Structures are given as structure tokens and as C-alpha cells.
Amino acid sequence: MLYVIAEQLGFPGVLNLIRYISFRAGAASATALLIGLLLGPWFISYLRVRQGKGQPIRADGPQTHFKKAGTPTMGGLMIMSGIIGSSLLWANLSSIYVWVVLLVTLGFGSIGFYDDYLKVTKQSHLGFSGKARLALEFVIAGIAAWVIMHNGQAPFSSSLTFPFAKEFIVNLGWFFVPFSCFVIVGAGNAVNLTDGLDGLAIVPIMIAAASFGVIAYLSGNAVFAEYLQIHFVPGTGELAVVLGAVIGAGLGFLWFNAPPAMIFMGDTGSLALGGALGAIAVATKHEIVLAVVGGLFVLEAVSVIVQVVSFKLTGKRVFRMAPIHHHFEQLGWTESQIVIRFWIIAIVLALAGLATLKLR
């Protein structure tokens, strides 16, 4: 909104700063952080009163989690308020990519909100029907993928790119939409599975957001894209502003989610954040890099798949408990050890993902 106003005024004086994506990304981050810090106490008090017993704790989960009973959930509402409010204020709203990512964020967040609502009202960790939830996620992701494909330059807009091989491009054609749906929905649910300990999901999300902020900025700049030998995707630079808002909103949430957590993000936040990252990866043509930068989320999701498949085929479990962070809890690691060590893994994977920008 401020960009449009400054543009109409001809960017006079200090408003000339608004021209620069880097400035607006920083401003969006600061604004989202401020929103989170200001609204956080109100959100927590309101949700605690409305939810009563708070988020139900899995009966078959780690015993140490029962002390968290009564902690309110749906903290994703606070995160989404910061992201959407700050993005609308600082991003160039003429960018279709901004609207697509905000659509996915709000859509996935709404699905997560309904899931959290059912869990709280029924006081059960079983919420929304899994099949119905996935169906709605694929519908939202499909719309986003279709818009991204039809607003790019064919055939590149429907193509898959690869790290280390700029010249190697595979045109997926109509299959680009279901492929993108898989990326977006997979990212949303992978983050959802990771959100099991205080601070475990939000910091890796911010690390991934910072990484993709760099990627979006460089991919949307013809000069930098040419120098780094990456694909130039016009208009995606504005996503750096949205990702700045994600980082700020994440910091605001972490202030209250730091152990012992005063609030959980719930499916409301994890689905929204994961879906947003997936949509940004699709828009910037860095879907494969997302699997590296977000490798921690991939690891969590794969651990669940391996556990389920192994148990159904052999009757035996590979891990003591899935997702894998619960496995380490069962091995005797403290919650803080798991969280901090997983943060370190997330940082290493993010650096590995960013390294591909120059190694192509």
C-alpha cells in the first residue's frame, strides 16, 4: 500500500527509500515483529479464556508433554496477522506473486484453524478429516499453481529447473500444476509435523524464510540473476518483502513460544507457514532447493512415512516414536537439546541450499 502511494507521489524525498525491495523487506520484518509483540499478550489472554483447557495433549505422546496441558493454541493467528498486515503495508500490491502467496497463507491457515478448533472443542488430538483436509489443501495449491503458471512466460513458467545445471530445464506442461500442488501441500504438512516442541518449527521456518528471501531477491533481479547464473523470474523480488514479514512475525511469536511456551502456533500457523514457503519455492523456480533448505522438515515427514510403512509391512517400528524429534525424546535427549540441535541442522541445510546459487 505504501509503495503505491509513494509511486503516485513520484517517490519524493525520503519516500524514495520505498523504491528499494531491501528497505521494504526490513521494514516489513520490523512491522510484523511489532504487531506480534503488541498483539501477543492480548491473543494469549483471549485464547486462554476461549479455549479453557487449551491444546489437547496426545495420550500416546511423550509423558513430559503432559505438563504443557492448558497452553492455548492457534498462535498462528498472531503470526498470520503480522505477515498479512505487514505485507499489505510494505509490498508492491501490483505483484501477482504477493497475492498468490498471501492466498495460500490465508487458505492453509484457515484449514489449520478449523482443525485446531475441532481439537479444542472436542478436547481430542484428532481434528479435521485427513482426506478432507488434504483435498482442500490441494484445491488451494492448485489455484496458486495455475495462477503462477499462467502469469509467467511460457514454456519456462511450466518448467522445472535444477541446481548446478542452468541449461537443463524440463517442461512439465500441464503436469506442472499437480507437481506444484505436491510441493506446496508437502511443505505445509512437513512443517506441521515438525511443530511438536517449543520453538522447534518457528526458528527453522525463519531460517528458510531468510534463505528464500535472498533467493527471491536475486531471482527477481536481472543483473544478479545473470551474474549468479540463476534463472531470472520477473516480479518475484517482491516476495522478499513477504518473507521479511515472515521473519518478523516469527520473531514476535518466538518471544511468547520460547520454552516454556505461553502459546502454541497449532495447525493454524504451521500449515500457513509451510504452504507459503512451498508457494514461494514454486514461484521462484527453486522447488528442488526447497528440499535442501527445508531439509529438516523433509526429515520429519520422511520419518513418519518410514514409521507407518514399516509398521504396516512388518509390524515393527523403525523409530521409538515419530516424528523423529519424539524419537530423540524417547532416547533421553532434553527438549532444549533437541530444539537447539535441530536449529543447527536447519542452519547448515540453509547454507547448503544457498551455496547452489553460485555453484551452478
Side-chain angles (χ1 to χ4, degrees):
M1 183 175 68
L2 289 178
Y3 183 91
V4 175
I5 295 173
E7 185 178 39
Q8 291 176 345
L9 295 174
F11 298 103
V14 71
L15 292 182
N16 188 54
L17 286 171
I18 296 179
R19 284 180 183 270
Y20 303 104
I21 291 175
S22 55
F23 170 79
R24 287 185 285 115
S29 184
T31 302
L33 171 60
L34 185 61
I35 290 173
L37 293 177
L38 292 178
L39 293 183
W42 178 85
F43 261 112
I44 293 170
S45 298
Y46 177 79
L47 292 173
R48 182 176 287 117
V49 171
R50 298 289 295 180
Q51 294 178 7
K53 296 182 180 180
Q55 176 172 300
I57 307 299
R58 282 177 53 183
D60 60 343
Q63 296 299 307
T64 55
H65 287 207
F66 286 101
K67 64 183 180 182
K68 301 182 181 184
T71 305
T73 185
M74 298 185 187
L77 292 172
M78 183 172 73
I79 298 173
M80 287 198 298
S81 297
I83 294 173
I84 295 174
S86 185
S87 296
L88 293 177
L89 183 64
W90 291 104
N92 180 358
L93 301 182
S94 65
S95 171
I96 189 65
Y97 295 115
V98 170
W99 289 109
V100 167
V101 172
L102 292 183
L103 164 71
V104 173
T105 303
L106 187 59
F108 274 46
S110 298
I111 294 171
F113 174 82
Y114 183 60
D115 197 38
D116 286 335
Y117 174 79
L118 291 178
K119 291 176 182 177
V120 170
T121 54
K122 295 181 179 180
Q123 276 301 297
S124 169
H125 69 275
L126 300 175
F128 202 4
S129 163
K131 292 181 179 179
R133 191 173 92 165
L134 280 175
L136 286 175
E137 290 172 8
F138 270 100
V139 168
I140 295 170
I143 295 171
W146 186 88
V147 172
I148 289 172
M149 184 174 70
H150 283 269
N151 280 273
Q153 185 175 0
F156 179 66
S157 60
S158 60
S159 297
L160 175 65
T161 64
F162 295 85
F164 312 115
K166 182 178 180 181
E167 297 77 16
F168 186 48
I169 300 175
V170 177
N171 184 11
L172 300 178
W174 64 268
F175 188 69
F176 176 81
V177 172
F179 170 76
S180 299
C181 287
F182 174 78
V183 172
I184 297 171
V185 174
N189 285 278
V191 173
N192 182 234
L193 291 171
T194 306
D195 182 33
L197 300 176
D198 297 350
L200 179 59
I202 192 61
V203 171
I205 277 288
M206 290 189 288
I207 293 169
S211 301
F212 267 91
V214 173
I215 291 171
Y217 180 76
L218 297 175
S219 297
N221 186 296
V223 176
F224 291 144
E226 176 64 26
Y227 173 72
L228 291 170
Q229 302 270 314
I230 62 176
H231 296 286
F232 172 51
V233 187
T236 55
E238 282 299 318
L239 293 178
V241 180
V242 179
L243 288 161
V246 171
I247 295 170
L251 287 171
F253 175 74
L254 182 61
W255 184 266
F256 303 101
N257 185 240
M262 299 170 64
I263 189 170
F264 300 139
M265 73 165 70
D267 292 0
T268 308
S270 57
L271 281 178
L273 292 168
L277 279 179
I280 290 169
V282 171
T284 58
K285 297 296 177 185
H286 281 76
E287 299 94 340
I288 295 177
V289 175
L290 175 62
V292 180
V293 171
L296 178 64
F297 307 127
V298 175
L299 176 64
E300 293 275 9
V302 169
S303 71
V304 173
I305 295 172
V306 169
Q307 186 85 324
V308 171
V309 172
S310 175
F311 187 75
K312 286 188 175 182
L313 293 180
T314 67
K316 298 181 179 179
R317 294 179 172 85
V318 176
F319 306 102
R320 293 192 177 186
M321 188 176 292
I324 197 168
H325 57 262
H326 290 322
H327 171 76
F328 289 108
E329 280 190 286
Q330 296 298 320
L331 290 178
W333 289 21
T334 65
E335 183 167 338
S336 60
Q337 284 178 320
I338 297 169
V339 170
I340 294 174
R341 287 170 180 173
F342 275 40
W343 288 355
I344 294 171
I345 294 172
I347 293 171
V348 172
L349 291 171
L351 292 174
L354 288 174
T356 65
L357 296 180
K358 190 56 181 172
L359 292 176
R360 296 187 182 190

